[in-house]
Amino acid sequence: TDPAAAVRRRARAALETARLRTLALTDCLDDDGLTAQHSPLMSPLVWDLAHIGNQEEIWLVRAAGGRPPLRPDLDPLYDAFQHPRAERPALPLLSPDQARAYAAEVRDQSLNVLAEAPLTSTAATTATPTGPPTDPLPGPLLDRGFVFGMLAQHEQQHDETMLATHQLRQGPPVLEAPAPPPAPADAALLPPEVLVPGGPFEMGTSTDPWALDNERPAHRVDLPAFRLDTTPVSNRAYLDFVQDGGYADPRWWSPQGWAHRQRERLEAPLFWLRDGDRWLRRRFGRTEPLPADQPVVHVCWYEADAYARWAGRRLPTEAEWEKAARHDPATGRALRHPWGDQDPDPAHANLGQRHLEPAPVGSYPDGAAPCGARQLLGDVWEWTSTGFTGYPGFTAFPYREYSEVFFGGDYKVLRGGSFGTDPVACRSTFRNWDLPVRRQIFAGFRTAADGPPERS
Ligand code: AVJ
Ligand code: FE
């Protein structure tokens, strides 16, 4: 078997899967729905669509493929750093039909690059100097198909952002998906927390060919024992916090969190509605009873942090989360996914927008980690206590604006992916980040506590 052929097959499938999803998320609205701004936090969907094409042109067609530019005039319009989201509707953007045609034209070129590019390079992908986007870096970009994986992940990340835009949008539902399966019989019997014994583990990766720069390099981290919730915090548990007056008691909140709660008058997660003594939620255009056994979603970091303090616990650090999700004490190895190195399938995790909501807590026994924790991947992104920074030895690749410009700790790390995250953009090393006030992402959390002291 030819390893380059296998890379080409995987790359083509990942690009095609992403494009089908992009089109499904945009073809379901008319031109007004695509050009409107549904929230000041989000771009018009037609911006995401053309930006997906433009990034693919810049990195795949030009930088990796060495092909001439198609539409260099579009670069400034679709540069996320030149125009804040709130200002994007006023730009002279491509129309929906023009954006679709542009993305399709770029994709034709990409498939030519994929067919012709040499993919067998063994060049190290970890430590490559970063240049401006005009610098061609075809060797490292093409190594084991990295650039194809990078663009498939980029498109899927924007698809998840577009899904969040759909959730913010007012109006009748346009998205459909079957409900997730009910919780397995043992969900109610699970211990509330698992113990992760102290000791070193391998954090990050130097070998995963499609891992992004901020996941690199692999490094040893030694952690004391800790305890971690077996599952994400449920709506039922979170409602206890709400009904116990958690939003009215500054004892549970960090000073910044309390100031934010006051300023924004937060009373409950985003999209929750009180109806007498019942709680409802809005979900993709429908209003429905709050499902008590699903993970809470649409909470900001400050809310997660306050809940944890109320519960007498804390958020896990990013390193704790990754150790729980990867470390196999039987072998000492770091796994790619909690269940092992196999690609995710529907029995492992709620990923890929197969459902439009999280599955009940305790679901997916086949996806459990060696420590016994469930649903570490999929369902909801999980806030950690850690500010986003580079690992020791971090090198930006291929551009500083993917992650390096967000380092410094203002952004909090989220782990694990949501029901709206595609498997290509989800693994136990994958790092997401957002500001501690953000609630429109599909984020929940689980809590942790210091473990029992080690016996020596
Ligand atoms: C990794 C999800 C924080 O959407 O802002 C997309 C991904 N970067 N285009 C974001 C991203 C550039 C990024 N997140
Ligand atoms: Fe982007």
Side-chain angles (χ1 to χ4, degrees):
T1 61
D2 172 6
V7 170
R8 266 184 253 277
R9 257 196 315 278
R10 179 166 179 242
R12 174 186 284 269
L15 288 171
E16 278 172 3
T17 300
R19 186 53 48 89
L20 287 172
R21 184 178 179 197
T22 302
L23 295 178
L25 286 164
T26 49
D27 288 346
C28 56
L29 291 174
D30 61 16
D31 282 12
D32 288 343
L34 295 173
T35 53
Q37 186 160 43
H38 299 289
S39 156
L41 292 174
M42 310 308 267
S43 311
L45 292 163
V46 72
W47 187 92
D48 289 279
L49 180 56
H51 167 83
I52 285 167
N54 184 242
Q55 287 287 301
E56 187 170 314
E57 179 185 345
I58 290 173
W59 289 108
L60 205 167
V61 176
R62 293 186 215 159
R67 303 288 202 275
L70 283 123
R71 290 291 304 268
D73 56 306
L74 297 180
D75 293 5
L77 272 181
Y78 295 103
D79 178 342
F81 287 85
Q82 289 195 29
H83 312 284
R85 284 177 174 178
E87 291 170 14
R88 292 175 191 168
L91 298 172
L93 301 177
L94 297 184
S95 70
D97 281 339
Q98 290 169 330
R100 288 186 189 100
Y102 170 59
E105 211 184 314
V106 173
R107 179 54 58 88
D108 278 349
Q109 294 285 317
S110 300
L111 296 178
N112 290 335
V113 174
L114 179 59
E116 290 166 20
L119 296 177
T120 48
S121 160
T122 53
T125 51
T126 45
T128 308
T130 308
T134 46
D135 274 2
L137 298 161
L141 279 171
L142 290 171
D143 183 20
R144 291 169 290 166
F146 172 79
V147 75
F148 303 99
M150 178 179 105
L151 271 300
Q153 291 178 73
H154 179 260
E155 182 158 351
Q156 290 285 1
Q157 288 174 334
H158 277 274
D159 289 346
E160 183 165 353
T161 298
M162 290 197 279
L163 189 65
T165 305
H166 273 274
Q167 167 66 8
L168 287 160
R169 185 186 142 262
Q170 304 290 320
V174 296
L175 299 177
E176 301 284 344
D186 73 344
L189 310 169
L190 291 173
E193 61 179 9
V194 298
L195 176 69
V196 180
F201 80 107
E202 183 184 292
M203 184 163 184
T205 175
S206 300
T207 54
D208 189 321
W210 289 6
L212 303 176
D213 61 359
N214 63 51
E215 298 165 72
R216 300 166 185 273
H219 55 291
R220 246 167 93 94
V221 176
D222 198 352
L223 292 180
F226 64 97
R227 292 174 284 139
L228 185 69
D229 291 345
T230 307
T231 71
V233 170
S234 67
N235 284 323
R236 178 182 289 111
Y238 197 86
L239 186 55
D240 282 346
F241 169 63
V242 174
Q243 290 180 332
D244 194 43
Y247 279 74
D249 193 335
R251 277 184 301 166
W252 312 133
W253 299 72
S254 66
Q256 304 92 309
W258 182 250
H260 177 69
R261 196 226 72 89
Q262 300 286 82
R263 200 166 41 244
E264 299 297 321
R265 298 179 163 72
L266 304 185
E267 304 278 1
L270 187 60
F271 306 117
W272 282 28
L273 307 165
R274 193 199 291 270
D275 174 30
D277 53 10
R278 291 197 318 156
W279 285 89
L280 308 174
R281 69 164 178 192
R282 276 186 57 76
R283 184 174 64 87
F284 298 108
R286 297 179 174 86
T287 300
E288 59 191 21
L290 183 72
D293 66 346
Q294 282 183 18
V296 67
V297 61
H298 299 299
V299 288
C300 70
W301 186 91
Y302 291 129
E303 290 168 296
D305 174 66
Y307 172 97
R309 208 169 283 109
W310 169 80
R313 296 170 67 83
R314 58 176 175 78
L315 292 178
T317 65
E318 179 183 23
E320 285 172 338
W321 192 97
E322 185 166 326
K323 185 175 179 184
R326 286 187 83 196
H327 181 64
D328 183 1
T331 60
R333 277 189 57 235
L335 307 173
R336 178 170 159 85
H337 298 303
W339 55 86
D341 294 331
Q342 316 93 277
D343 288 341
D345 71 36
H348 290 128
N350 180 9
L351 290 165
Q353 204 188 308
R354 297 197 315 274
H355 310 296
L356 288 167
E357 60 194 308
V361 297
S363 294
Y364 304 109
D366 292 352
C371 67
R374 293 194 184 175
Q375 294 169 294
L376 283 160
L377 297 199
D379 294 300
V380 292
W381 287 102
E382 298 183 19
W383 288 110
T384 72
S385 61
T386 303
F388 187 48
T389 52
Y391 292 156
F394 169 84
T395 310
F397 181 78
Y399 62 108
R400 288 189 64 240
E401 291 75 15
Y402 178 69
S403 47
E404 190 177 11
V405 300
F406 299 98
F407 289 170
D410 290 350
Y411 290 81
K412 299 292 186 185
V413 174
L414 298 122
R415 289 303 203 100
S418 78
F419 61 86
T421 307
D422 187 82
V424 80
C426 195
R427 51 197 164 263
S428 292
T429 55
F430 188 90
R431 310 175 73 198
N432 193 6
W433 63 94
D434 214 331
L435 294 170
V437 298
R438 290 291 182 247
R439 308 208 288 175
Q440 83 283 3
I441 55 176
F442 303 108
F445 61 101
R446 70 181 79 206
T447 71
D450 295 346
E454 297 297 294
R455 286 170 221 280
S456 53

